[in-house]
Amino acid sequence: MSDQSTDLREAVRQRYAAAAVKVTEGATACCGPEPVEVDESFGSTLYAADERDTLPAEAVAASLGCGNPTAVAELREGERVLDLGSGGGIDVLLSARRVGPKGKAYGLDMTEEMLALALANAAKAGATNVEFLKGTIEAVPLPAGTIDVVISNCVINLSTDKPAVFAETFRVLRPGGRMGVSDVVADDTLTAGQRAERGDYVGCIAGALSFAEYRAHLEAAGFTEVEITPTHVVADGMHSAIVRAVKPMAEGQAAGAVTPAVSARAEDSCCGVTACCTPAEQAAGPSLTVGQAKSASGCACQG
């Protein structure tokens, strides 16, 4: 990673760490945490009131996204969902409710402060089918072919290596799996310099891809059925957009077929869950969390 990329990633980490600390400290005030809002184009106001009202106040306050990916991902009972850049956990908690007790919602974030906040929010919500993992969206700590749906809320634009993000998203999805994300996308006529003039990198503007670039990256990673639909303007020539794409089925595989990664026996796996040690290991036992399974089985890769 170049020095510039390292600096940008650290700037992003610091911004979201500060947001998590603000929410956590605000939770001890008499009136609860104040939302970390930027303007009406970002934040918790993009969720329906009935969704916000069912979640811990801290999860709602920490929302910094540009959309509501759970509303467009068409989640189904029993599915496994991964949220890239899960922050305070609002989309993970909403996803967990949609997939039900037979499903699982994973949240991935690189910021310790956000992960701590998300874990506290999950405990307050009484969510038992969620798992929060520390890592980057360019190197997802999950085996290949184990996720049904990947969601994300205004995070991919913050990555300094977007081809790696799309490659990792494709890798962890099972054949027939899909992605449904909210992200900031620029008009094709805007140069990188013009995007930077409209907002900074950590503000989700300067790092945004154009519509054509987004589509090209997704197709290069192997995705099909790419749809990019703008929803509202966040800056001149910049839009919040819903992005959908599908990982095609393997040749000769019927739609809805269960992949080996999902149907494997528990005795064939190191940890007993899909999020375990290496992509070569199989998985079962979704009732256990990753941490519980690794501890119980003595898995060698507990870090």
Side-chain angles (χ1 to χ4, degrees):
M1 183 181 294
S2 69
D3 290 343
Q4 182 183 23
S5 295
T6 300
D7 291 344
L8 285 172
R9 175 178 285 182
E10 178 58 18
V12 170
R13 190 201 65 76
Q14 289 180 2
R15 187 217 183 185
Y16 287 91
V21 169
K22 178 179 179 180
V23 170
T24 301
E25 292 178 345
T28 63
C30 63
C31 302
E34 287 293 322
V36 185
E37 303 285 6
V38 179
D39 56 38
E40 67 276 5
S41 298
F42 298 88
S44 61
T45 57
L46 299 174
Y47 294 83
D50 59 344
E51 290 180 312
R52 300 195 304 268
D53 292 344
T54 61
L55 297 174
E58 293 79 10
V60 176
S63 175
L64 287 162
C66 58
N68 181 355
T70 61
V72 301
E74 300 176 359
L75 302 180
R76 297 187 280 269
E77 185 84 15
E79 289 189 315
R80 288 177 174 263
V81 185
L82 169 64
D83 181 17
L84 300 178
S86 49
I90 185 170
D91 293 316
V92 174
L93 296 177
L94 289 173
S95 296
R97 292 186 177 186
R98 289 174 183 258
V99 301
K102 294 183 179 179
K104 189 72 174 281
Y106 293 101
L108 175 64
D109 206 282
M110 68 175 182
T111 308
E112 292 276 5
E113 293 85 351
M114 277 296 185
L115 288 168
L117 178 59
L119 287 168
N121 287 332
K124 290 176 182 178
T128 58
N129 59 337
V130 304
E131 184 84 22
F132 290 99
L133 307 171
K134 184 179 180 181
T136 68
I137 63 176
E138 297 87 2
V140 178
L142 288 171
T146 55
I147 297 296
D148 296 296
V149 187
V150 171
I151 64 172
S152 185
N153 195 350
C154 207
V155 172
I156 295 175
N157 69 83
L158 294 170
S159 172
T160 58
D161 189 355
K162 295 176 181 65
V165 176
F166 296 130
E168 280 291 270
T169 300
F170 190 87
R171 180 185 68 80
V172 300
L173 282 171
R174 64 167 176 79
R178 60 201 188 276
M179 67 175 289
V181 308
S182 296
D183 209 1
V184 173
V185 185
D187 285 343
D188 292 334
T189 56
L190 293 183
T191 65
Q194 289 170 327
R195 296 170 214 175
E197 291 172 357
R198 285 156 171 77
D200 61 10
Y201 202 95
V202 298
C204 302
I205 301 297
L209 296 171
S210 70
F211 285 89
E213 289 167 344
Y214 220 117
R215 178 178 295 276
H217 280 308
L218 286 170
E219 291 177 347
F223 284 100
T224 59
E225 301 180 42
V226 177
E227 298 177 3
I228 307 174
T229 307
T231 57
H232 60 274
V233 174
V234 299
D236 183 23
M238 311 284 292
H239 312 267
S240 174
I242 295 166
V243 182
R244 296 186 179 95
V246 175
K247 179 175 180 175
M249 301 294 295
E251 187 174 352
Q253 186 176 15
V258 178
T259 63
V262 175
S263 62
R265 298 172 298 168
E267 59 266 29
D268 293 331
S269 69
C270 163
C271 302
V273 287
T274 55
C276 61
C277 302
T278 71
E281 293 162 350
Q282 302 303 314
S287 62
L288 292 176
T289 67
V290 175
Q292 289 170 336
K294 287 182 177 181
S295 177
S297 64
C299 187
C301 60
Q302 296 184 33

